[in-house]
Amino acid sequence: MNISPQFNHGAHEIFDVHEVLSCTIGALNKYTVLRSKVKDQELLDILDRQHQFMHQTYNTIVDCFQSGQDPAVPTKTYMMKENNTFKFGLTPTQPKKPIQSESEINDEIISGWMLGTAKSLATVKTGAAMETTNPVVRRVLADSIPNCIEMAYEISIYQNKNGYYQVPQLPITDMQAIMQSYAPAPVAVAAR
């Protein structure tokens, strides 16, 4: 059966891409609402760059989803400004608890929402890419997943630098014991 590229989509794909696009709209809306509440200029810069990038990615997905063909603007690569440096260890902090009013929203909460948003988009895009039959849409979704990961990583570095996200670390002897408990697999020769 000959199907035009525009309708070269399976049922799972239609529903999964619908979910990706709906979640992306939710993410864009969340970033728009949160923007006016951000106090830290660095977080505002991250939010603006991520919002702009998600906006373009959304348009790219819509384009190839509706046409079934290569989008006019291909998937780009998100480039974070953070420097990959984490502070390890725990320091005592106040216990976390839900806020009681909107006035309690701060940069820690906003950055947490941003992190959750990027992680959710990575998850929903991964699921959709595995159910997508149109090769162009599948590639666009698959190529956009590393960008979600990069955005989440950027936010986690920001949170760590500001003490919002602490990274516990095992004692070196424990790390070494676990890391050394694996060996490379021998090169397998194909059975004939």
Side-chain angles (χ1 to χ4, degrees), residues 16 23 31 58 84 131 135 140 159 169 183 189:
D16 287 346
C23 288
Y31 273 48
Y58 169 83
N84 299 326
E131 295 286 343
V140 167
Q159 288 187 312
Q169 197 171 35
V189 177

Side-chain angles (χ1 to χ4, degrees), residues 10-48:
H12 272 293
E13 176 180 354
I14 292 290
F15 293 128
D16 287 346
V17 177
H18 165 71
E19 185 176 7
V20 166
L21 294 172
S22 295
C23 288
T24 305
I25 288 171
L28 290 166
N29 291 345
K30 184 183 290 184
Y31 273 48
T32 298
V33 169
L34 294 176
R35 189 179 194 289
S36 66
K37 299 182 180 312
V38 174
K39 304 278 188 285
D40 182 25
Q41 190 58 44
E42 182 182 8
L43 182 59
L44 185 60
D45 179 60
I46 294 169
L47 183 141
D48 285 343

Side-chain angles (χ1 to χ4, degrees), residues 21-105:
L21 294 172
S22 295
C23 288
T24 305
I25 288 171
L28 290 166
N29 291 345
K30 184 183 290 184
Y31 273 48
T32 298
V33 169
L34 294 176
R35 189 179 194 289
S36 66
K37 299 182 180 312
V38 174
K39 304 278 188 285
D40 182 25
Q41 190 58 44
E42 182 182 8
L43 182 59
L44 185 60
D45 179 60
I46 294 169
L47 183 141
D48 285 343
R49 285 185 296 102
Q50 290 189 1
H51 185 271
Q52 181 180 12
F53 192 88
M54 280 190 284
H55 188 267
Q56 180 55 61
T57 302
Y58 169 83
N59 285 338
T60 295
I61 295 169
V62 167
D63 182 3
C64 69
F65 184 50
Q66 291 178 346
S67 72
Q69 299 181 40
D70 286 338
V73 178
T75 307
K76 308 274 189 214
T77 300
Y78 183 77
M79 301 300 289
M80 66 179 199
K81 288 185 177 178
E82 294 292 328
N83 65 11
N84 299 326
T85 303
F86 273 90
K87 293 183 281 187
F88 292 95
L90 299 175
T91 56
T93 62
Q94 292 294 317
K96 307 282 188 226
K97 62 181 181 188
I99 61 173
Q100 301 302 304
S101 80
E102 189 177 326
S103 66
E104 296 177 70
I105 295 173

Side-chain angles (χ1 to χ4, degrees), residues 165-186:
Y165 179 76
Q166 296 189 49
V167 181
Q169 197 171 35
L170 293 171
I172 289 177
T173 55
D174 292 347
M175 281 194 284
Q176 284 178 328
I178 293 172
M179 292 165 57
Q180 298 305 317
S181 66
Y182 298 93

Side-chain angles (χ1 to χ4, degrees), residues 9 71 116 124 143 146 156-157:
H9 303 292
V124 74
D143 287 349
S156 67
I157 293 169

